[in-house]
Amino acid sequence: EVQLVESGGGLAKPGGSLRLSCAASGFTFSGYSMNWVRQAPGKGLEWVSSISSSGSYIYYADSLKGRFTISRDNAKNSLYLQMNSLRAEDTAVYYCARVRSSRENYVDAFDIWGQGTMVTVSS
Amino acid sequence: DIQMTQSPSTLSASVGDRVTITCRASQSISSWLAWYQQKPGKAPKLLIYKASSLESGVPSRFSGSGSGTEFTLTISSLQPDDFATYYCQEYNGYPLTFGGGTKVEIK
């Protein structure tokens, strides 16, 4: 079964850090670009970051201003999001998602999503 | 950056109704548009990609159309399982953008 499972969410203080993980199974992880998408409570979806299958190409939402770092370990079938200098407005469910096409650095719709992990930033 | 505007934000409909949701892009995105369905507490589910291609396993009552800047998602006969929030997303290039969502409610 194709599956993505996020972990690492929780409560963090403003200015603090968290590292999210996304474990992939059921498909050739190294062949797909991966993404993080977040959803603040009661709000819509917001794209956060993308990384190509090899990890060579990385993109971020402008709003993050260098605070987040996406990475992947293809040997471990895992995607990561290092979040630093956290703010209250980063409070959201964070989803990892796979793109449909297995081509390096190819932009496509997101066909597989994890269940999400909740990040709460509060003092 | 491309802005995506969905309308309406809320839609009240009955089972069996034909439902249409519109998504407008601030600049041309060719056919690089996807539609997702999201139910409360769940992850989004891909319905339509490349504006009009039906994702595998999605019922044929869902259809998408449009190109350039104006797109529509149509549900031909609304079923009880279709009451949810729908999002469009453009993937013409980075940064990627989602529409604000359309909540389909029971009338």
Side-chain angles (χ1 to χ4, degrees), chain B:
Chain B
D1 297 356
I2 297 172
Q3 310 303 318
M4 303 300 292
T5 304
Q6 271 184 250
S7 60
S9 55
T10 306
L11 187 160
S12 297
S14 302
V15 172
D17 284 353
R18 182 181 181 87
V19 167
T20 299
I21 298 168
T22 298
C23 184
R24 289 188 174 86
S26 60
Q27 63 189 73
S28 177
I29 57 169
S30 185
S31 295
W32 304 119
L33 185 100
W35 289 98
Y36 301 88
Q37 177 194 67
Q38 187 180 35
K39 296 181 179 180
K42 301 294 187 181
K45 173 188 175 183
L46 178 64
L47 300 175
I48 302 286
Y49 63 95
K50 208 172 179 184
S52 60
S53 296
L54 192 68
E55 175 70 349
S56 176
V58 174
S60 59
R61 62 181 179 273
F62 291 93
S63 64
S65 64
S67 66
T69 63
E70 188 144 342
F71 303 86
T72 59
L73 172 70
T74 299
I75 308 172
S76 60
S77 178
L78 197 66
Q79 298 302 300
D81 191 49
D82 302 338
F83 291 97
T85 301
Y86 295 83
Y87 294 93
C88 62
Q89 179 216 0
E90 64 81 19
Y91 52 101
N92 187 63
Y94 294 103
L96 307 178
T97 312
F98 289 89
T102 296
K103 185 176 183 179
V104 177
E105 298 180 327
I106 300 172
K107 190 172 186 179

Side-chain angles (χ1 to χ4, degrees), chain A residues 39 50 59 62 95 100 110 114, chain B residues 1 36 38 42-43 49 87:
Chain A
Q39 186 170 37
S50 298
Y59 307 90
D62 294 342
Y95 296 100
R100 287 188 66 254
F110 302 163
Chain B
D1 297 356
Y36 301 88
Q38 187 180 35
K42 301 294 187 181
Y49 63 95
Y87 294 93

Side-chain angles (χ1 to χ4, degrees), chain A residues 73-122:
Chain A
D73 185 336
N74 286 342
K76 295 183 177 180
N77 292 335
S78 292
L79 174 72
Y80 306 101
L81 185 68
Q82 177 67 43
M83 303 187 297
N84 298 330
S85 302
L86 284 164
R87 305 168 179 170
E89 54 265 36
D90 296 319
T91 295
V93 174
Y94 285 73
Y95 296 100
C96 63
R98 188 190 83 169
V99 299
R100 287 188 66 254
S101 297
S102 57
R103 280 190 268 175
E104 171 74 347
N105 201 32
Y106 189 75
V107 187
D108 205 342
F110 302 163
D111 65 339
I112 305 296
W113 295 66
Q115 85 288 351
T117 187
M118 182 71 203
V119 171
T120 302
V121 183
S122 175

Side-chain angles (χ1 to χ4, degrees), chain A residues 13-95:
Chain A
K13 294 187 186 303
S17 299
L18 278 177
R19 189 194 195 207
L20 306 184
S21 299
C22 172
S25 59
F27 66 99
T28 304
F29 179 73
S30 61
Y32 292 84
S33 294
M34 297 295 296
N35 307 269
W36 289 99
V37 176
R38 69 183 180 181
Q39 186 170 37
K43 302 297 184 182
L45 301 170
E46 179 186 17
W47 171 75
V48 171
S49 182
S50 298
I51 185 168
S52 65
S53 55
S54 67
S56 297
Y57 300 91
I58 287 174
Y59 307 90
Y60 296 102
D62 294 342
S63 61
L64 298 180
K65 296 184 180 178
R67 298 183 297 118
F68 291 9
T69 302
I70 192 172
S71 62
R72 65 189 297 160
D73 185 336
N74 286 342
K76 295 183 177 180
N77 292 335
S78 292
L79 174 72
Y80 306 101
L81 185 68
Q82 177 67 43
M83 303 187 297
N84 298 330
S85 302
L86 284 164
R87 305 168 179 170
E89 54 265 36
D90 296 319
T91 295
V93 174
Y94 285 73
Y95 296 100

